Amino acid sequence: MKVLVVGGGGREHAFCWRLGRSDSVEQVYAVPGNAGIAQEHRCFSQDIKLNTEILALAQHLDVDLTVIGPEAPLVAGLADKFRMHGLSVIGPGAEAAQLEGSKIFSKQFMKRHGIPTADFAVVESMSELEANLTRFGFPVALKADGLAAGKGVIIVRDEDEARETGTAMLSGEVVGDAGKRLLIEQFMTGEEVSFIVLSDGKTFFEFPPSQDHKPIFDNDLGPNTGGMGAYCDPRILSTEERQVILTTIVENTLDGIRSDGYPFVGFLYFGLMMTENGPQVLEYNVRMGDPETQPLMYRMTGDAGELLLSAARGNLNPKTVGWDEGPTCCIVCAAPGYPSSYPQGLPIAGVDEAEATGAKVFHAGTALQEGNLVTAGGRVLGVTAGGQNLASAIGNAYAAAEKIQFDGLHYRKDIGQKGLCRW
Ligand code: GLY
């Protein structure tokens, strides 16, 4: 089959790489892709904001399947457009994509369907914020309703900070229109876990649990990023925890969205907080996580193409894939200054040396300038490796990451430590 991957980050490079190793897949294309994907597959430059252009590209290439990586095109209805024209696609329609596109929609959905999540109030003005200011105690989370590229959640410690942050968000200063409606939400403590399923609208395929590292610095310090590294190890959840997640969260969500009239076809990501009172949903994403996809795709065996095509066609066949025994780990190499402003065009060295260790270097913010690999984004590379146990997976990923060089390169030194401490 021929597959088109939409997007150009580390997640999409990992999809392309895994699909390229599937017996059923003859050709992988990407739009727009990135410098790493382009070394392995043909990339196209259409603007992924333009649904009609992406549909025309898929039709021109006569692809059998399209996998939509990022959330924005899903919220903008790209999957609906493909389905309207009879094309097989992985990704929910615009209505179901509201689970990620609107935090208010998703919290109201969870409340309606009895899915465990923190208590909250919707705030559209400073007077509504004042009315709810002390309701959940402190710290408390202020969350922008709309898509905000990982910048829409701010934890505030007291009333003054809540007023200041609320004013900045509601005025559009912080995340533009995405913040003009807010949630004020009870703060939850515990460990975060990423739990992802692939659904065909009726049943689902469960990925092993993974754990992201959102803050920029070690020990979870500093501002949040898109994710500075992730590891995948089935031991992240006990058998009991996994069962509770499947019954109270995954099944209730998929049944709920179906009974609301929007069966979910695609990846559904549950950002969970493992609290004293059991797992609670922090957020939904209507796509795979980035960087979680990198260690997950590295660990997957079998035919990912068959798995995805079966889901897109509504007859999910989970037997097409399996998993390597050992855990996997991805270290994100970031540009200096990220997640604030950062330079671009910094020459990158050491990718071949990193891969010579057996790791895979997934590209994210990279470009070719006069034939030379340079940085072109905040998260630049995701160095991914496996091992017989978590310690060796982490060690192998860091041994490879040490080979990468560019001015001001930053990566966290503690990816996977929570897992190592636990076991
Ligand atoms: N890793 C979190 C996300 O993809 O949003």
Side-chain angles (χ1 to χ4, degrees), residues 31-59:
V31 56
N34 58 37
I37 299 175
Q39 283 169 359
E40 297 158 18
H41 305 284
R42 189 157 169 217
C43 293
F44 294 85
S45 58
Q46 277 82 347
D47 182 349
I48 65 170
K49 289 197 207 76
L50 302 177
N51 289 356
T52 307
E53 287 209 9
I54 302 304
L55 173 69
L57 176 66
Q59 288 171 324

Side-chain angles (χ1 to χ4, degrees), residues 32-110:
N34 58 37
I37 299 175
Q39 283 169 359
E40 297 158 18
H41 305 284
R42 189 157 169 217
C43 293
F44 294 85
S45 58
Q46 277 82 347
D47 182 349
I48 65 170
K49 289 197 207 76
L50 302 177
N51 289 356
T52 307
E53 287 209 9
I54 302 304
L55 173 69
L57 176 66
Q59 288 171 324
H60 169 72
L61 295 170
D62 194 23
V63 296
D64 303 283
L65 174 68
T66 298
V67 181
I68 302 173
E71 61 277 20
L74 294 166
V75 171
L78 183 58
D80 298 305
K81 185 118 189 150
F82 271 65
R83 290 196 182 96
M84 254 187 297
H85 287 81
L87 271 66
S88 295
V89 61
I90 288 291
E95 299 285 357
Q98 285 301 298
L99 287 176
E100 178 167 0
S102 165
K103 289 222 176 340
I104 295 174
F105 174 95
S106 80
K107 291 295 280 195
Q108 290 171 338
F109 170 89
M110 286 185 252

Side-chain angles (χ1 to χ4, degrees), residues 232-233 235 298-299 324-329 358 384-397:
C232 166
D233 187 323
R235 292 175 303 168
Y298 193 85
R299 192 160 169 256
D324 272 337
E325 277 293 305
T328 48
C329 179
T384 308
Q388 284 183 330
N389 53 42
L390 183 58
S392 66
I394 294 170
N396 292 339

Side-chain angles (χ1 to χ4, degrees), residues 11 71 100 150 194 212-214 225-227 230 269 283 285 287-292 379:
R11 168 184 48 215
E71 61 277 20
E100 178 167 0
S194 307
D212 189 9
H213 298 66
K214 292 214 177 77
T225 67
Y269 168 125
E283 64 173 4
N285 292 325
R287 49 166 175 91
M288 288 281 282
D290 189 341
E292 291 94 328
R379 291 190 293 172

Side-chain angles (χ1 to χ4, degrees), residues 81 152 157 163 165 194 246 279 290 360 401 415:
K81 185 118 189 150
R157 284 163 301 182
R163 285 191 189 96
T165 306
S194 307
L246 289 175
D290 189 341
K360 175 65 192 171
I415 303 300

